[in-house]
Amino acid sequence: MDEGAGVVIVGGGQAGYQTAESLRQLGHTGAIALIAAEDFPPYQRPPLSKAYLLGDVDRHRLKFRTEAYYAEHGIDLRLGTEATGIDRAGKRLLLADGSSLAYRHLVLATGARVRLLPVPGAGLMGVHYLRSLADVEAIERRLAEVQHVAVIGAGFIGLEFAAVARKLDKRVTVLEAAPRVMARVVAPELSGFFDETHRAHGVDIRCDTGVVEIAGRDGQVTEVVCADGHCVPAGLVVVGIGVIPETGLADACGLTCADGIVVDGHGRTSDPAIFAAGDCTSYHHPFAGQRIRLESVQNAADQGRTVAAAIAGQPRPYDTVPWFWSDQYDVKLQMVGLSAGCDRVVLRGDRAGGKFSLFHYRAGVLRAVDSVNRPADHIQARKLLAAGLSPTPGQAGDAEFKLKDLVDAASA
């Protein structure tokens, strides 16, 4: 191994950037190399489907840090660089240009890739996915030229983009194969609210609707053909049907993978010299009580911090309660915990007025809280779940009951 070998991080997303930053914050003085396939410095992805398209955030403000930051903190940032393999025996990362980097610790923060739409015509001009800055800039150019937009997939990304397109006065149709919007990530009660919200803003939402073909003329998309025979006119199609963990490097070198790169509570893979963090990982989550894979900024950032702590010799297992958010129109959704498997939902606040929270219980124990335009509920819910506290359903449903009192009493 080269004498100068240190920490090599593959991936310039949230998890990769966070690992590098946290290493320096924890006093790690060894060499750090951050390998990023994109030509643009590490940046925030959540604004891409929202504020960036609306012009509220520009390219510069997307960056986590300026280029000068990396030089000043001794982080060798290599943009436009693709990793092609891992030599575990020699502890070297192989690069596309034929060179290699020696490592003492390797961190895989490779994220996830979009799930491709497997229908004829999916390669026509005007059919886009929304994952990277390059993706959204291509969408932005096309969006300025068309009036009819079709969104395939009613998850967070699809609905966030639909809201932006409506704000830009486009005619929007959302096609979803599942019986309800955001079916994979929220409870039916919340699906119903967002379905109503989008319809009220003029979005044509069609659930239980499969797509069998993208049709076009002269290589350009013109319509989406649905399984029921209906055709939806579209000069732009944005596909958001999920992502697949990027495990290619890990698989090829023999690391254990199962719906992601398998890691322990410190982010360590089946090779003690290799760590992984972010959307590409699966692990036993203490709160979930089972092995899961999360796709969120919070998870990527916290796992990056956990990996950095382990490498810096200050190990602290990852045990943060998961939380998520989504902005659509003037609605801010904030979620904490995991509602899957819950058997009771309690409403707190005013659903009709668009300011409410849903408290999800399993066997009488609070497991998740979804808050719509009630940030105070979200803040207290995070504290409650982190402390293992559970208000009674009656307390949760009483908007006058102060959740903060439970938190304060437990910490007294």
Side-chain angles (χ1 to χ4, degrees):
M1 184 169 61
D2 290 1
E3 180 139 350
V7 179
V8 176
I9 303 166
V10 183
Q14 180 74 59
Y17 160 76
Q18 189 64 63
T19 302
E21 181 189 61
S22 294
L23 279 167
R24 290 299 185 233
Q25 290 175 338
L26 292 169
H28 182 78
T29 58
I32 300 174
L34 180 55
I35 310 302
E38 294 185 55
D39 292 322
F40 196 69
Y43 60 91
Q44 308 169 67
R45 293 185 189 272
L48 293 178
S49 58
K50 302 178 281 288
Y52 184 81
L53 273 173
L54 288 171
D56 297 333
V57 173
D58 61 19
R59 281 174 129 245
H60 178 73
R61 289 177 59 195
L62 284 177
K63 298 176 185 177
F64 291 120
R65 299 280 191 174
T66 65
E67 289 88 331
Y69 167 86
Y70 300 96
E72 292 166 0
H73 289 79
I75 299 170
D76 179 11
L77 177 62
R78 302 195 182 192
L79 301 177
T81 303
E82 183 181 356
T84 57
I86 300 168
D87 173 6
R88 288 172 55 188
K91 291 192 173 181
R92 302 192 74 88
L93 177 71
L94 312 180
L95 304 177
D97 64 3
S99 65
S100 65
L101 280 174
Y103 64 82
R104 181 171 285 107
H105 300 289
L106 178 65
V107 180
L108 299 177
T110 47
R113 64 184 185 277
V114 295
R115 189 180 299 277
L116 300 179
L117 184 67
V119 302
L124 287 169
M125 292 292 292
V127 179
H128 295 271
Y129 298 83
L130 205 166
R131 185 69 177 172
S132 68
L133 180 57
D135 292 337
V136 79
E137 289 182 336
I139 289 171
E140 184 178 33
R141 291 190 294 271
R142 187 82 179 192
L143 194 57
E145 303 170 352
V146 305
Q147 189 58 37
H148 294 270
V149 176
V151 179
I152 301 176
F156 283 154
I157 293 295
L159 292 186
E160 287 170 357
F161 174 73
V164 167
R166 279 302 298 140
K167 284 186 175 182
L168 297 175
D169 204 28
K170 306 299 179 180
R171 297 186 63 178
V172 182
T173 303
V174 175
L175 306 171
E176 171 56 55
R180 58 186 177 88
V181 303
M182 299 193 293
R184 190 173 69 88
V185 290
V186 305
E189 295 83 355
L190 206 52
S191 286
F193 174 80
F194 277 94
D195 187 288
E196 295 165 14
T197 298
H198 279 273
R199 292 183 191 275
H201 281 85
V203 177
D204 179 4
I205 293 184
R206 306 184 190 184
C207 293
D208 285 314
T209 301
V211 171
V212 295
E213 183 183 359
I214 308 292
R217 186 170 51 252
D218 299 327
Q220 304 283 335
V221 63
T222 58
E223 62 184 9
V224 179
V225 183
C226 301
D228 60 9
H230 285 92
C231 294
V232 176
L236 167 65
V237 176
V238 173
V239 182
I241 55 173
V243 297
I244 300 169
E246 188 54 81
T247 61
L249 287 173
D251 278 321
C253 73
L255 296 179
T256 301
C257 295
D259 186 32
I261 305 169
V262 174
V263 297
D264 65 12
H266 297 279
R268 188 176 283 106
T269 71
S270 51
D271 183 327
I274 303 178
F275 294 78
D279 292 5
C280 64
T281 67
S282 72
Y283 57 99
H284 187 276
H285 196 293
F287 181 81
Q290 62 183 9
R291 179 167 294 282
I292 61 174
R293 185 176 65 81
L294 294 175
E295 300 163 10
S296 73
V297 169
Q298 170 265 320
N299 178 69
D302 284 347
Q303 273 198 315
R305 295 185 183 98
T306 295
V307 167
I311 292 173
Q314 304 170 42
R316 45 178 185 267
Y318 176 51
D319 60 0
T320 308
V321 177
W323 55 270
F324 316 84
W325 82 90
S326 178
D327 295 323
Q328 300 172 37
Y329 307 108
D330 58 351
V331 176
K332 176 172 282 294
L333 169 64
Q334 295 170 290
M335 308 166 66
V336 59
L338 299 168
S339 62
C342 288
D343 51 36
R344 183 174 183 181
V345 181
V346 175
L347 171 68
R348 178 184 179 90
D350 180 14
R351 186 190 185 282
K355 294 184 179 181
F356 65 96
S357 293
L358 297 174
F359 284 65
H360 301 269
Y361 289 83
R362 187 170 68 211
V365 178
L366 183 67
R367 296 294 297 167
V369 179
D370 304 329
S371 299
V372 173
N373 293 333
R374 283 183 69 100
D377 281 359
H378 176 71
I379 291 170
Q380 296 308 320
R382 284 172 61 175
K383 293 178 180 178
L384 288 168
L385 290 171
L389 301 173
S390 183
T392 67
Q395 291 170 333
D398 181 0
E400 300 303 315
F401 177 79
K402 295 183 179 179
L403 299 171
K404 184 175 183 295
D405 289 348
L406 289 179
V407 177
D408 291 344
S411 60

